[in-house]
Amino acid sequence: MNILEVNRLSIAFGGLKAVDNFNIEIKKGQLYGLIGPNGAGKTTVFNLLTGVYKPDAGIIMLDGVNVAGKRTISICQAGIARTFQNIRLFTEMSVLDNVKVGLHNHHRYGIATGLFRLPGYFRAEKEMDERAMELLKVFDMEQYFDYKAANLPYGQQRKLEIARALATEPKLLLLDEPAAGMNPNETTELMEMIRFVRDTFDMTILLIEHDMKLVSGICEALTVLNFGQVLCQGETAEVLNDPEVIKAYLGE
Amino acid sequence: MNSVKRKKLIDNLFTYGLVVFCWIAVQALSATGHMTNQINGLLVPICMYVILAVSLNLTVGISGELSLGHAGFMCVGAFSGSFFTKLMAEAIPSLQARFIIALVIGALTAAFFGVIIGIPVLRLRGDYLAIVTLAFGEIIKNVMNVIYVGVDNGMLRIAMEKKANLNLSENGRVIIEGAMGITKTPKASTFTIGIVLVLITLFIVQNLINSRTGRAIMAIRDNRIAAESVGLNITKYKLLAFSVSASLAGMAGVLYSHNLASLAAEKFDYNMSILILVYVVLGGIGNIRGSIISAIVLTLLPELLRGMNNYRMLIYAIVLIIMMIANSAPSAIAARERLLEKFQRKNTKEAA
C-alpha cells in the first residue's frame, strides 16, 4: 500500500521551474532516498510536501488524502513531519520541552486549565512528560533532558530534531540531509538509528542525502532529481548503476 | 526529572515570596514610623511599574517581539477604567466595587486594543515591529489628547477638538476633556491593592509560561519555521501573548489613573514605553523576577539619591551600567560564564 503518492507536482519561481512534473510513490514502511546534485530541487520538494510552498500544480496523496496546497499546520496534523538541513531546534528551551512542543497537538488542554492549574493540567503534563521521556530514551538521550537544546553536541541535536518530529506522530517522516556534517563513525551510527526508527515506530521515511554510503546502505528505493525533473526512479541498486545517473550525479 | 520540576516550583514561589516580603517590609516600616511621605507616594507607582515591566517581559522576553508601544495600552486601560469610575459614580456608590470593575474593564479594553493592533503589527518582525508599535502608542496618545466624551440624559456623546462640539444639554457633564484628560478621579489605589495586582500579574504570567501555551510561544520565538512544522498556529500564539501583555498593562493603567487626581494622555508618550523597556532589559530579558527587582530599584533610586544633588545622575548612570552587566537574562548569564572561563584559562596558562 502506498502511503505517499505524488503526481505531476510543479512549482516555478519566476521563470525557473524549480520542480517540474515530480512523481513519487512510497510504500508504507519503506526507506526511500531522494538524491541529486546541488540545486536540483530536493529541499524544494520537501517544502512542497510540508506546505511551506504552495505547488503550482499537482497532487500529494498522503494515505489517500490530497494535502497539496494545504497549510503547514494541517499537513503536520495530516501526518507529515520533517527535520531541516540546517538544524532548527528551539534553542533556548530544554531538550524535554523541545519534544513536548512536538506533542503539542496530541495532548491538549485549554489556556484556562493551564492558567488556573486545574486537574487537567497536571494530568496532561504528566502524560506529556512520560511520552517525551520515552521518545528521548529511544534515542538514548534521557540523561540530557534538562540541557538547553543549544548546548547539545551536534550529533545529539540531529537526534533531538528527529525525536521532536516523531513526537507529532507522523505517518511519513522527511529527513533533510541527516548526515550533513557527520564523520564516518557518526554516519554509521545514524544509519543504524534511522533503520531502528523505521522498525520501532513502523515509520515510512523519505530522506535527502549526499552521503552515498548512507544512501546505498539503507535506502530501499531511490529517486534522482536533476534540474527539477525526475532523472531516474527505482530500486537502489538499479538506480545507482544507471548510466544517466552516473553521468549527471555520481561521476564516472 | 522531579527535582528539576521542584526547582522550578521553588523558583516561582520565591518570586511570589519576594513580593509578599516587600509588602510586609513596607507595613513594618510604616508601623515603626520609618516611611517618609516621599517614599509613601512612590509605593503605588512602584507596583504599577512592576506590573508594566513583568507584562512587557511577556512580549519582549517570552514572545521575543520588541514592542515600544506599551504605554499606549496603559493609556487605553487608564482612560477606560477612569471613565467607568466617573460614569458610574451614582449608579454604583461603593468606590471599591467600582474600582474593581474598572480594573476588569481597563484590562479588557486594553486586551481588545492588543488584538486589533496585534493583527497587523505581528506580521512584522524585529526593528519594523518596534517602529510600528511605537507609532501605535503615539496614535493612541494623540487620539486621547483631542477626544471629548460627555454624558447627558443617559446618552454618551463623543466629539473631537473642542468641548462645544459635544452639544451637551444643560444637565450634561463632560467626563473626558481632551488634553485635560479625566480630572478628579477618586483615589482608590492603595499599596495593598497594588501588591495584589502584582501577584495576579505574576500568577498569570508565570502559569502561562509554564504551560502548553507558554511552550508554544517560546518555541515560536526560538524558531518560527520549526514551530510551524510541528503544527503550531503562529498567529494565534503570538496574538495571545501580545494581548495578555496589553491587558496587564491596561490594568496597571487603571491603578495609575486611580492614584492621581488628574489623568492626561500626554503622560503616556514613548518616554514611558522606553522607561518600561529599560526595566525589562536591565532586569534581564526573559527573567520575570529580574523585571520586578529592576522596576523597584530604578523607581526608588532617583528618590533615594535626592539628597546627593550633584552626584545623583552620575550614580544613577553607574547603577544602570552595573545592572546591565550583572542582570540575570539567560544570555547575560551565558556571557558571564564565557568571560569567566576565558579568565580562568588565562590564569592556568600563566601558572603553567
Side-chain angles (χ1 to χ4, degrees):
Chain A
M1 194 191 113
N2 289 336
I3 199 101
L4 183 77
E5 277 179 40
V6 175
N7 241 316
R8 307 180 66 82
L9 193 67
S10 308
I11 188 170
F13 300 115
L16 176 76
K17 286 183 175 169
V19 173
D20 192 18
N21 269 330
F22 178 79
N23 300 306
I24 203 170
E25 279 183 10
I26 302 179
K27 291 192 189 70
K28 190 166 169 21
Q30 208 169 21
L31 247 166
Y32 203 107
L34 182 60
I35 62 172
N38 286 327
K42 305 181 295 291
T43 299
T44 309
V45 169
F46 270 27
N47 283 339
L48 286 169
L49 290 179
T50 52
V52 176
Y53 300 145
K54 305 261 170 290
D56 295 338
I59 49 170
I60 302 167
M61 298 295 279
L62 177 73
D63 211 6
V65 185
N66 186 11
V67 296
K70 285 198 178 156
R71 296 196 309 158
T72 309
I73 302 167
S74 356
I75 291 183
C76 169
Q77 279 162 357
I80 299 183
R82 73 175 291 185
T83 67
F84 296 87
Q85 193 171 349
N86 42 345
I87 304 174
R88 289 180 184 276
L89 289 172
F90 306 129
T91 43
E92 298 299 313
M93 298 169 76
S94 75
V95 168
L96 186 73
D97 280 350
N98 265 270
V99 183
K100 281 167 87 176
V101 172
L103 294 167
H104 188 86
N105 286 326
H106 293 281
H107 298 261
R108 289 166 175 275
Y109 56 82
I111 294 164
T113 313
L115 220 49
F116 298 108
R117 298 284 140 104
L118 302 178
Y121 166 83
F122 295 100
R123 208 180 313 125
E125 285 288 314
K126 190 162 169 272
E127 281 170 16
M128 284 167 110
D129 282 338
E130 283 167 2
R131 179 79 189 118
M133 278 314 249
E134 265 173 45
L135 276 165
L136 287 176
K137 264 194 198 110
V138 169
F139 291 92
D140 222 1
M141 291 182 70
E142 71 268 31
Q143 70 274 27
Y144 296 120
F145 78 95
D146 62 337
Y147 275 48
K148 208 167 86 171
N151 293 346
L152 283 180
Y154 185 81
Q156 304 286 354
Q157 291 196 5
R158 283 249 172 245
K159 284 207 242 169
L160 178 57
E161 220 190 5
I162 298 176
R164 185 185 66 193
L166 286 172
T168 65
E169 292 176 24
K171 291 172 184 159
L172 172 69
L173 180 62
L174 309 180
L175 304 177
D176 199 344
E177 294 202 30
M182 286 190 174
N183 64 33
N185 284 339
E186 285 172 327
T187 307
T188 315
E189 212 178 284
L190 180 77
M191 281 164 66
E192 278 160 24
M193 200 192 71
I194 292 175
R195 225 183 257 132
F196 174 75
V197 166
R198 194 261 307 260
D199 297 341
T200 329
F201 294 91
D202 200 13
M203 190 59 59
T204 314
I205 298 176
L206 172 63
L207 59 88
I208 294 176
E209 193 45 73
H210 283 297
D211 190 317
M212 278 304 131
K213 195 183 94 183
L214 187 144
V215 170
S216 56
I218 59 172
C219 290
E220 290 148 7
L222 288 181
T223 288
V224 186
L225 213 55
N226 197 20
F227 294 115
Q229 288 176 324
V230 175
L231 187 71
C232 182
Q233 223 159 19
E235 279 180 31
T236 306
E238 281 170 34
V239 171
L240 292 181
N241 288 320
D242 186 286
E244 285 283 313
V245 174
I246 293 172
K247 200 173 133 207
Y249 182 46
L250 299 173
E252 284 163 63
Chain B
M1 190 157 75
N2 283 326
S3 69
V4 174
K5 263 190 182 162
R6 200 173 307 134
K7 216 175 119 196
K8 209 177 221 169
L9 185 72
I10 291 171
D11 207 52
N12 283 351
L13 288 178
F14 184 76
T15 313
Y16 294 117
L18 181 78
V19 176
V20 174
F21 171 79
C22 286
W23 184 78
I24 294 172
V26 168
Q27 298 304 327
L29 282 174
S30 59
T32 52
H34 282 85
M35 295 293 282
T36 60
N37 271 343
Q38 226 179 34
I39 302 287
N40 258 329
L42 274 179
L43 291 175
V44 175
I46 286 177
C47 292
M48 173 194 91
Y49 282 122
V50 168
I51 298 171
L52 287 168
V54 170
S55 63
L56 185 62
N57 210 339
L58 181 63
T59 310
V60 176
I62 307 303
S63 180
E65 305 290 6
L66 185 60
S67 162
L68 295 178
H70 218 50
F73 297 122
M74 188 188 168
C75 179
V76 170
F79 273 90
S80 55
S82 250
F83 179 76
F84 175 82
T85 310
K86 293 264 290 182
L87 185 70
M88 290 295 166
E90 281 117 40
I92 309 170
S94 158
L95 178 59
Q96 291 303 331
R98 257 186 296 155
F99 181 45
I100 289 167
I101 301 172
L103 282 167
V104 175
I105 287 178
L108 289 180
T109 319
F112 172 72
F113 273 78
V115 172
I116 55 173
I117 291 174
I119 288 170
V121 162
L122 291 172
R123 289 168 183 270
L124 303 168
R125 277 176 232 175
D127 308 350
Y128 301 101
L129 184 132
I131 301 282
V132 176
T133 48
L134 180 76
F136 268 111
E138 288 295 297
I139 290 172
I140 291 175
K141 185 199 85 180
N142 286 324
V143 168
M144 291 318 292
N145 229 346
V146 293
I147 205 167
Y148 287 80
V149 181
V151 60
D152 62 351
N153 309 326
M155 286 269 288
L156 273 184
R157 293 184 187 277
I158 301 171
M160 292 291 191
E161 281 181 67
K162 51 184 189 282
K163 204 161 138 187
N165 290 355
L166 281 173
N167 297 325
L168 282 181
S169 60
E170 271 171 28
N171 57 0
R173 59 193 170 107
V174 184
I175 297 181
I176 300 178
E177 213 178 337
M180 302 256 291
I182 301 179
T183 46
K184 295 189 189 125
T185 309
K187 183 171 162 55
S189 300
T190 62
F191 179 56
T192 308
I193 290 179
I195 287 287
V196 170
L197 292 181
V198 168
L199 289 173
I200 291 174
T201 305
L202 279 179
F203 181 82
I204 291 175
V205 173
Q206 291 196 343
N207 282 0
L208 190 71
I209 293 173
N210 295 311
S211 75
R212 172 176 172 269
T213 317
R215 274 197 303 273
I217 293 168
M218 288 188 279
I220 294 166
R221 170 198 66 190
D222 281 356
N223 202 313
R224 204 185 167 103
I225 294 173
E228 216 169 3
S229 86
V230 294
L232 299 186
N233 187 338
I234 309 273
T235 319
K236 175 181 155 191
Y237 287 110
K238 277 218 172 289
L239 208 53
L240 182 85
F242 196 70
S243 53
V244 168
S245 165
S247 78
L248 293 172
M251 198 172 78
V254 180
L255 186 69
Y256 172 85
S257 69
H258 286 73
N259 189 43
L260 299 173
S262 75
L263 172 72
E266 62 186 13
K267 272 294 283 179
F268 305 100
D269 61 356
Y270 64 88
N271 277 326
M272 175 74 97
S273 296
I274 301 281
L275 188 69
I276 305 164
L277 187 65
V278 166
Y279 296 156
V280 173
V281 171
L282 292 183
I285 291 175
N287 185 310
I288 301 297
R289 198 189 305 143
S291 292
I292 301 176
I293 295 171
S294 81
I296 296 175
V297 170
L298 292 178
T299 317
L300 273 180
L301 202 63
E303 291 302 319
L304 294 178
L305 293 176
R306 203 150 280 243
M308 312 185 70
N309 268 328
N310 294 340
Y311 299 104
R312 195 164 78 109
M313 288 325 281
L314 179 68
I315 295 175
Y316 189 74
I318 292 173
V319 169
L320 288 186
I321 294 171
I322 291 172
M323 285 178 80
M324 193 76 219
I325 298 169
N327 78 35
S328 42
S331 55
I333 293 171
R336 273 203 296 279
E337 276 169 2
R338 269 202 308 277
L339 211 67
L340 201 70
E341 210 174 88
K342 221 174 179 179
F343 193 68
Q344 279 168 346
R345 217 180 297 141
K346 212 172 173 185
N347 276 359
T348 47
K349 224 184 259 171
E350 272 166 17

